[in-house]
Amino acid sequence: MNTLSKKRWIRLIPIVFITYSLAYLDRANYSFGAAGGLAEDLNITAATSSLLGALFFLGYFFFQIPGAHYAENKSAKKLVFWALILWGILATATGLISNVKILFVIRFSLGVVESAVMPAMLVFLSHWFTKAERSRANTFLILGNPATVLWMSIVSGYILESLGWRWMFILEGLPAVIWAFLWWKLVNDHPKDAKWLDNEEKAAINQALLEEQKELKPVKDYKEAFKSKTVILLSLQYALWSIGVYGFVMWLPTIINSAPNASIVTTGWLASIPYVLACVLMLTVSYFSDKYQNRKLFVYPFLLIGAICFYGSYLIGTSNFWLSFILLSIAGGAMYAPYGPFFAIIPEILPRNVSGGAMALINSMGALGSFAGAYIVGYLNDLTAGFGASYNFMAIALLLSAILTIIATKNEKNVLKKKTELSHQPLHD
């Protein structure tokens, strides 16, 4: 099984990482385009810009569950292939427009197209990696998020300075279209279809996945799964968490760019720092969460740290930019750290027929939180002509998210305990 594991990790994880990185690139670079001339050239106010950034997440909300259902019952490979092509075209088109109304349509459509990617990728990984491996596999998938913003922050700064915002969108949108054909060539939905595995390896993976499903209490359908208290609480938790994350992602370049003597290249380099910390923390937290088999302990403390740092940055205000920036960087890294343990919770308590849909529901609620975070943070910045109110808003959201994590995972332990008790009871007709 060691040889098999090595083959899967080496073959699939880089492909998954690159695919999700391209998705994240084409959703997050809007913040740089807005700070680098798009808003000025198209006469977009801060409030309108925040709505444009947030519209992506409104579109992202609608097709999460259908996407997960299609990926589980039809083909994650086919779904992601067409999504890559469509979002690459839409992202490139952003560099060609001169009408704000068309930009509204593009941003919403981009969200719709990308909405299926995250649940489809989680379903895809569940077909290839066992329960003991899945947390790490999911972490490498989601690592595409901060890792992409890390290099995008630097590269986009140079493209904006040299070529302008239009070429930034064009040059960063085209790779998704090209990668679609490599994705189609390199991946298979299931191990049984992979020519690079021999029959023994295929059988071993299939048997391991079947065995772990036997340990889970059957759940009839999505309706039953969605009524689970754990799923409901984690949906609310993730919505609040996403308020902090995407308020931060969408507005960090603008916040940094407001500093004295800050050029767009300097903004790019400074904006990359929180994501370096995020990458390190994500890998570290995922490792220790798997080692100690504890999810809660590696989720809520980091959300609390993020809340405290946002509030600390608010207290400092504009009196000390660098201290405020350090606190923002810690907040950013801390918010990303728990993703691996968090997305390991649902597949550990729900069977495959509904776990993908449950994760899609949670992710779709995160999209609503992202919409609120991106829009309200921009609105507060515009209303107050500063960043203090939005820091407080993100801090409160993260604090509530941490509290809900504790409640939800306590409920999860009770569910697991009941499930274990039931598994030891004799079956009756």
Side-chain angles (χ1 to χ4, degrees):
M1 193 67 182
N2 288 336
T3 303
L4 175 62
S5 295
K6 187 176 181 180
K7 278 187 180 181
R8 288 174 299 152
W9 288 99
I10 293 173
R11 173 87 181 198
L12 298 176
I13 291 300
I15 297 169
V16 165
F17 176 83
I18 291 170
T19 304
Y20 192 62
S21 292
L22 290 171
Y24 207 78
L25 167 66
D26 289 333
R27 83 176 66 165
N29 63 0
Y30 174 78
S31 60
F32 269 89
L38 180 149
E40 183 179 353
D41 289 352
L42 300 184
N43 299 314
I44 299 172
T45 65
T48 303
S49 186
S50 65
L51 179 58
L52 281 163
L55 263 179
F56 170 91
F57 301 108
L58 194 59
Y60 194 77
F61 170 76
F62 286 106
F63 292 95
Q64 293 273 323
I65 296 171
H69 182 77
Y70 184 91
E72 184 62 65
N73 294 281
K74 299 290 185 179
S75 172
K77 174 181 175 177
K78 187 181 293 185
L79 185 63
V80 173
F81 171 77
W82 286 109
L84 277 160
I85 291 175
L86 291 172
W87 91 57
I89 291 171
L90 287 166
T92 301
T94 306
L96 304 175
I97 56 95
S98 57
N99 186 306
V100 177
K101 292 180 180 178
I102 297 176
L103 186 56
F104 273 100
V105 174
I106 288 175
R107 289 300 297 176
F108 179 80
S109 301
L110 190 64
V112 171
V113 171
E114 285 195 28
S115 65
V117 176
M118 179 67 166
M121 297 297 269
L122 290 170
V123 167
F124 174 78
L125 290 174
S126 75
H127 292 166
W128 282 93
F129 296 93
T130 64
K131 175 182 174 181
E133 303 166 316
R134 210 167 290 143
S135 177
R136 284 170 289 152
N138 289 347
T139 295
F140 279 106
L141 165 68
I142 303 166
L143 192 65
N145 177 323
T148 300
V149 181
L150 167 60
W151 67 260
M152 180 204 75
S153 297
I154 298 169
V155 172
S156 296
Y158 281 108
I159 294 176
L160 283 167
E161 185 179 59
S162 303
L163 302 172
W165 63 269
R166 292 186 181 277
W167 275 105
M168 184 201 76
F169 285 112
I170 294 169
L171 293 175
E172 292 180 354
L174 288 175
V177 179
I178 298 169
W179 181 255
F181 296 95
L182 291 171
W183 163 268
W184 186 261
K185 181 72 175 176
L186 294 171
V187 304
N188 303 97
D189 278 304
H190 301 278
K192 64 182 177 63
D193 301 318
K195 295 180 179 179
W196 46 275
L197 292 174
D198 60 38
N199 290 334
E200 289 185 5
E201 291 171 326
K202 294 176 184 179
I205 297 173
N206 184 59
Q207 185 60 35
L209 293 172
L210 286 175
E211 287 297 326
E212 72 176 28
Q213 289 299 304
K214 293 177 182 177
E215 299 174 3
L216 297 174
K217 180 183 177 183
V219 177
K220 183 174 66 174
D221 52 26
Y222 288 149
K223 182 179 179 181
E224 184 179 342
F226 294 171
K227 289 165 66 176
S228 160
K229 288 183 180 180
T230 301
V231 172
I232 293 170
L233 289 171
L234 289 180
S235 296
L236 294 173
Q237 184 266 17
Y238 196 53
L240 290 163
W241 181 359
S242 297
I243 284 175
V245 171
Y246 285 97
F248 178 84
V249 169
M250 295 302 293
W251 289 97
L252 181 65
T254 300
I255 292 169
I256 296 173
N257 205 38
S258 67
N261 305 315
S263 68
I264 194 66
V265 172
T266 302
T267 297
W269 277 100
L270 289 176
S272 70
I273 292 174
Y275 301 104
V276 174
L277 178 62
C279 291
V280 173
L281 286 176
M282 283 181 73
L283 292 171
T284 305
V285 167
S286 177
Y287 170 79
F288 283 106
S289 177
D290 276 348
K291 181 177 180 179
Y292 295 108
Q293 285 297 294
N294 190 315
R295 306 309 180 195
K296 177 175 72 173
L297 186 62
F298 293 95
V299 176
Y300 82 85
F302 291 94
L303 300 178
L304 282 176
I305 290 170
I308 292 168
C309 288
F310 272 130
Y311 185 66
S313 191
Y314 156 73
L315 291 177
I316 293 167
T318 58
S319 62
N320 188 327
F321 170 80
W322 289 108
L323 181 56
S324 180
F325 173 72
I326 290 171
L327 289 173
L328 282 180
S329 297
I330 295 171
M335 283 191 296
Y336 277 99
Y339 274 120
F342 178 78
F343 278 105
I345 294 171
I346 290 298
E348 292 178 357
I349 63 173
L350 292 175
R352 178 182 291 174
N353 67 307
V354 294
S355 62
M359 287 189 289
L361 175 66
I362 292 168
N363 206 42
S364 67
M365 293 304 294
L368 287 184
S370 302
F371 175 85
Y375 180 69
I376 297 175
V377 167
Y379 175 79
L380 290 173
N381 291 345
D382 192 36
L383 181 68
T384 62
F387 304 110
S390 61
Y391 290 171
N392 275 338
F393 173 63
M394 289 185 281
I396 292 169
L398 288 175
L399 176 62
L400 293 174
S401 180
I403 293 169
L404 280 175
T405 303
I406 297 170
I407 298 171
T409 48
K410 180 180 179 182
N411 184 65
E412 171 210 348
K413 283 187 175 182
N414 292 334
V415 171
L416 290 171
K417 182 179 178 182
K418 289 178 182 177
K419 185 174 68 179
T420 303
E421 291 171 351
L422 285 169
S423 68
H424 287 88
Q425 291 178 1
L427 296 175
H428 300 281
D429 291 333

